[in-house]
Amino acid sequence: MRFVLYVDVNSMIHRLDPRAKLYWVLCVFIWSMTFNHPIYAGMVLGIVLMTLILAKVIKEIKFAVTPLAILITMCITLWPLFRREGTIILFGLGFLKIYQEAVLYAIAVGLRLTAMVLAGIALLLTTRIEELEAALVRLKLPYPMAFGISAVFRFIPTLMGDAYMVIAAQRARGVDPLKGSLLTKMRNSAIIVAPIFMTSMRRLSTLPLAMESRGYIPTASRTYFIQLRMRATDYLYMVITTLLTIVFILMRLSGIGVVYPHYI
Amino acid sequence: MKEVVEMWKYSKMIAGFVLAAAVYAVVLWVFAPLWIIPGVTGIRIANILPPVFSLLFGPAAAWGIAVGNLIGYDILGGALTIGSIGGFIGNFLLGFMPYKIWHRMFKEPPHCRSISSILKFEFVTLIHAAICAHVISLWCEAVGFVPYTPLAFIIFTNDFIAPAIAGPILMTLIYDRVRRAGWLWTDVMKGYEYTPSEVKKRWMLGTILVTIGSIVGLIATVGVGLGLGQPLFFGPGLKFIGTPLVVTGLVFLIVWAVGVALLG
């Protein structure tokens, strides 16, 4: 399990302005929600994977493969139970009927969610947290909020490490908090969460001191070490992304790439 | 409600926000959800945290829970969809409601060391689960993403059972430590009462309206859904009800908003 996502590689995607990358992630979400046919949802996933290859970070997504495989499997298993419309029945038992359209829709949802998760991960693999914070401020998010959000991203890897240490400590005592029935997990969760919380509180107790010792004034106007500047390649990247978004929306409006026209 | 904005002026409250968001995101990741509707909702053991964090960190927890859910569940967990907008607001309310009711209504601290304190904890947990389920499900129904009735049932059960069982245990373990460390939100934000010295009549009325708007609202809207043919769970055909259900839900949401305004 890796805890720091950013990978320092010299690639075209790394060099892009973080605002352009944020815009791309937003557009991937729109593209993913546009289609509910697996072939078209797969095409969106393909674009995301191509971007990861271009960014030279495709090998870094290994940690997400198992959770995503579980997600896709759960999608294919459960979504057909919620979408009970169609013309071709694949399986029927009493009132339970599984339609071909529902299975196609389920596969599409799995691929769509995978594309969205990987787009978010691609952003974090290719963008430093400091750049992300600067981008959020330039996008007019109030500075304390942008600082808070970037601090959350910064602390998650550390706290994740702490969490696995607590779990390992419990396992060494003969208790596996991640095993057992749901009720057992619920009951055990308090004994896991309490040490994680206390460790985190100790770690974060120095944060206000650090902020104040550096003269933190939330309302003051600030200068930044990282200077973001949009260049021609950033604009070109955004134009291509926008054009793709328009094309995909027009395709959807024309009925292309949909199994169920009345569902997202 | 001005404390929700004012909190960003305090460095320790920002640290509280980072703590709540990061720990919530990490616990969501460690206890990976058991998907019920993949990409939408699942059984989340991490839901024991919102009421506990809310009662300790106040408004910092409200923002922290919303951002922690966005990062740990939506972006990294594979649930970033159109429903995430409702999810952000719903999770914000998960962290907002418990402290808001407690600091206006109950003179006893939320230490969960007495039966009355535990009962009060369960009451605020019930309210927070109901309003979160109502808001997210209403949004998902309104945008045609997932029908209200099954989703409301799942989210409410999810947000209530885990914190009702393990929340008091966790609170007992950490309340005194947090208080001694001076991290309670009213220790940082001077001018606010952690528990009221006297309970004003408009706060009582506000709590009654919040209860009606959330719990009665949830039951009534589910009732409308069931009456118009939307099944509670796996029925012969899940469908969207649309306007009658959304209008019913909105009426109760207005009642809830008036209640919150009275709570101040």
Side-chain angles (χ1 to χ4, degrees), chain A residues 2-155:
Chain A
R2 53 177 298 134
F3 297 123
V4 179
L5 282 180
Y6 178 73
V7 179
D8 196 8
V9 181
N10 184 15
S11 78
M12 191 196 93
I13 305 294
H14 280 76
R15 287 193 297 273
L16 286 172
D17 188 286
R19 286 166 292 180
K21 284 186 262 187
L22 274 170
Y23 181 72
W24 173 78
V25 172
L26 180 75
C27 287
V28 170
F29 294 159
I30 296 170
W31 302 345
S32 304
M33 301 303 286
T34 305
F35 302 117
N36 61 33
H37 191 289
I39 290 176
Y40 294 84
M43 177 185 72
V44 174
L45 178 60
I47 295 173
V48 175
L49 291 173
M50 280 293 292
T51 310
L52 285 162
I53 291 168
L54 271 177
K56 301 174 188 169
V57 290
I58 189 75
K59 285 181 188 164
E60 308 297 331
I61 60 166
K62 272 185 288 186
F63 76 96
V65 171
T66 310
L68 286 173
I70 293 170
L71 181 66
I72 293 174
T73 311
M74 297 291 277
C75 279
I76 296 169
T77 315
L78 291 176
W79 267 106
L81 300 172
F82 289 93
R83 293 280 181 257
R84 297 183 175 200
E85 299 159 47
T87 48
I88 305 162
I89 298 173
L90 289 179
F91 173 79
L93 185 70
F95 78 88
L96 182 72
K97 290 186 180 70
I98 304 293
Y99 292 91
Q100 182 180 302
E101 288 87 341
V103 173
L104 289 175
Y105 180 86
I107 297 168
V109 172
L111 296 174
R112 163 200 289 180
L113 294 172
T114 306
M116 290 197 282
V117 171
L118 289 181
I121 291 174
L123 174 74
L124 298 175
L125 282 169
T126 59
T127 316
R128 284 193 179 88
I129 297 300
E130 298 79 17
E131 291 173 337
L132 206 57
E133 181 185 323
L136 291 173
V137 172
R138 290 292 289 271
L139 292 169
K140 304 292 177 201
L141 193 73
Y143 175 74
M145 264 189 205
F147 170 78
I149 290 169
S150 75
V152 172
F153 275 110
R154 202 169 290 137
F155 275 101

Side-chain angles (χ1 to χ4, degrees), chain A residues 29 71 74-75 78-79 82-84 113 116-117 148 159-160 167 185-186 189 193 197 200 204 212 216 263, chain B residues 8 11 14 17 19 22-23 29-30 35-39 45 49 53 78 80 143 145 166 178 234-235 238 240:
Chain A
F29 294 159
L71 181 66
M74 297 291 277
C75 279
L78 291 176
W79 267 106
F82 289 93
R83 293 280 181 257
R84 297 183 175 200
L113 294 172
M116 290 197 282
V117 171
L159 300 191
M160 203 81 95
I167 290 166
K185 275 190 193 171
M186 263 181 214
S189 61
V193 172
F197 173 78
S200 314
L204 279 157
E212 281 162 20
Y216 174 79
Y263 287 127
Chain B
W8 293 105
S11 53
I14 294 174
F17 157 79
L19 179 66
V23 172
W29 177 268
V30 170
W35 293 107
I36 297 172
I37 308 177
I45 288 168
L49 293 174
F53 281 177
L80 195 67
V143 297
F145 183 51
V178 174
F234 299 127
L238 288 172
F240 293 95

Side-chain angles (χ1 to χ4, degrees), chain B residues 171-258:
Chain B
M171 200 61 166
T172 315
L173 290 172
I174 64 176
Y175 173 78
D176 269 338
R177 292 171 192 191
V178 174
R179 186 178 55 80
R180 278 200 303 271
W183 278 72
L184 294 181
W185 71 280
T186 45
D187 291 340
V188 183
M189 297 179 74
K190 302 294 178 195
Y192 290 94
E193 286 182 320
Y194 192 63
T195 53
S197 46
E198 70 160 320
V199 179
K200 292 180 182 166
K201 277 184 183 158
R202 72 184 169 95
W203 294 345
M204 278 175 154
L205 181 62
T207 306
I208 292 167
L209 290 180
V210 162
T211 310
I212 293 170
S214 52
I215 296 172
V216 181
L218 183 74
I219 294 167
T221 318
V222 166
V224 169
L226 290 172
L228 291 174
Q230 200 176 65
L232 187 61
F233 213 53
F234 299 127
L238 288 172
K239 59 178 182 181
F240 293 95
I241 303 296
T243 313
L245 190 143
V246 173
V247 168
T248 311
L250 279 177
V251 168
F252 282 99
L253 213 51
I254 292 166
V255 173
W256 170 84
V258 172

Side-chain angles (χ1 to χ4, degrees), chain B residues 160-171:
Chain B
F160 181 63
I161 292 181
I165 295 171
I169 305 170
L170 183 63
M171 200 61 166

